[in-house]
Amino acid sequence: MTGHFTGRLKAALTGKPDVELVFLGNFEVEDQWARGEPGLPRLAFGSGSVIVNRMDEFALLLAGKGDHVVLKGEPDPDYLSHLEELGFDLPGLLVVERQDPGSTVTQDALEDRPVLRELGRIGARGGVVCAHGVSELEERLAERAGIALAAPPAAVCKAVNSKLYSRRLAGELGIRQARGWTCASLAELDAAVEAARALLADGRRVVFKDAFGVSGKGIEVVADERRLARLHRMIGSRARKAGDDRVGLVVEEWVAKRADLNYQFTVGRDGRVHVDFVKEALTEGGVHLGHRIPARLTERQTAELTEVSRLLGGRLADDGYFGVVGVDAMVDPDGGLYPIVEINARHNMSTYQASIQEAFIGSGSTALVRRYPLRLGAPLPFGSLHRALADLLFDPARGTGLLINNHATVNAAAPPGERSPGADFAGRLHGVVVADSADRAAALDDEVGRRLAALAESTRRAAGSTAMGRQPSAAPSWPVAPRDGAAYVHSPAPLQGAAEPERTSPDPLRGEERE
């Protein structure tokens, strides 16, 4: 099964619908784009990056037969067999010999001579690399291996991904957006803070956004003038100490919303724009948690997003960009649209669902794209997941069930070697819940969560029993664990306006302010 989307993507990137692509899932490429850039303080976020780095496995279902995927580790063979049973034509695998969990797949591939040699052979016969996003690291990989990148230069990709670019472009095109200001310099920041102070005095809130923030990082919501002054002072002090007038922030009014949206279009090398889809995004605290398919939109709203896609695509092409573009948008409480919150000129989470959507989510279906956080006591093979969820897994004949689209993130953070008692680790299962109604999808999602909670609890019990010299306890019956247990954190499906917390990362002002 090779999706129509992948063929369109190949044609847009290279002009050839049958070119040999090498997919590279270098998620959160924004971290590379943000290097050396001013903005809000970036703090360490623990072990989360090792899980994010194994999101490279998503590319398995975007690539087709005859394509290739570069991976940090060998996929579970039972998982590959399961995908083949569902009808997916799996690509060739280029797996690095020694991966660093804290490194992206690009960084690992740069140090792996066999992978570099194979990339060179693919490049010699006309194959090209299709990366999640392109930074200087991906350019270095392509140059070292001797293979072309199917993308614009990294400098173009970075420029288009800046939130300053998104806001300026929306203003130039006359597209509705929240009141706000771009701040490329200290002088522009001073002016924005003065305007923001008036909004706060009127009982409103403002949000500071790092130009290259991603996944809830680099966002500060400000509700009072004292905090505004502290943040202003801290940013100015840091810039002066660095001897650099640049700022790299967007300041906006915090507006009410009814729903988050994500829509995608593809810009071809010839400047043509193809509108791919629009989905309702599930978010919490600014962090992407999944999608609802189809989005609950009117014909008017859909038509407006289609027109905005064509406007944006034309301007991006003029600025030298081609490839996948994902745009975040919002629906206000009255049904009006904010069509541009930010532009992501790279693959998006929804990009990796394209083949699944084409094959299995028809006009009579509804789907929830979910991630299920886990707390595990030992690595969880796909076979154990399959047995625990057997009757809930997707069945093409029924057209319903959970389709697992990434297993590598489950065990990515498992520590190597012998485990000590109580040494639990975080994992994450990604999947798409498909049903014939929204209610049935929600019920299936709930049952998946209960079973995963019980399965995760059994791994912790077994690890504890083994450490104490006892035999592991038997697997539990289903369902068992409570929904609010530590093993499974369920994200509520309803979208209730602008319900995000006021901060999506550790407080950068606490203990950080230095004059």
Side-chain angles (χ1 to χ4, degrees), residues 372-394:
Y372 300 93
L374 303 165
R375 175 59 60 176
L376 300 171
L380 188 59
F382 182 79
S384 297
L385 270 173
H386 193 285
R387 287 188 293 274
L389 302 174
D391 59 310
L392 304 181
L393 293 177
F394 185 80

Side-chain angles (χ1 to χ4, degrees), residues 40 208 220 222 227-236 509:
L40 291 174
F208 282 63
E220 275 294 314
V222 178
R227 186 169 186 82
L228 176 69
R230 291 176 64 200
L231 190 57
H232 184 202
R233 187 164 61 250
M234 181 186 69
I235 296 170
L509 300 183

Side-chain angles (χ1 to χ4, degrees), residues 26-39 42 104 107 131-139 149 151-163 210-214 246 248 321-322 324-326 342-348:
N26 56 313
F27 280 78
E28 296 204 355
V29 64
E30 285 88 349
D31 288 342
Q32 290 298 320
W33 289 328
R35 289 182 178 273
E37 295 292 337
R42 288 180 167 252
T104 66
Q107 292 169 318
H132 176 81
V134 176
S135 70
E136 292 180 356
L137 279 180
E138 286 65 48
E139 289 184 329
L149 276 172
V156 172
C157 297
K158 174 179 175 177
V160 170
N161 271 273
S162 169
K163 291 179 177 62
D210 191 314
F212 295 102
V214 62
R246 296 179 306 147
Y321 183 83
F322 60 91
V324 171
V325 181
E342 66 181 57
I343 296 171
N344 297 304
R346 53 164 172 77
H347 292 175
N348 307 269

Side-chain angles (χ1 to χ4, degrees), residues 27 54-62 79 82-83 86 88 279 291 349-354 356 368-372 382 393 402-409 428-433:
F27 280 78
R54 286 317 324 271
M55 289 166 68
D56 60 343
E57 197 175 79
F58 276 123
L60 282 176
L61 300 187
L62 185 56
Y79 178 53
H82 177 68
L83 294 178
L86 290 174
F88 288 101
K279 300 178 182 179
H291 294 101
M349 287 295 290
S350 56
T351 309
Y352 298 95
Q353 303 149 19
I356 296 172
L368 292 173
V369 181
R370 284 306 208 187
R371 68 179 196 179
Y372 300 93
F382 182 79
L393 293 177
L402 170 70
L403 199 159
I404 295 172
N405 60 341
N406 190 310
H407 175 260
T409 52
R428 185 190 302 163
L429 179 69
H430 290 268
V432 182
V433 177

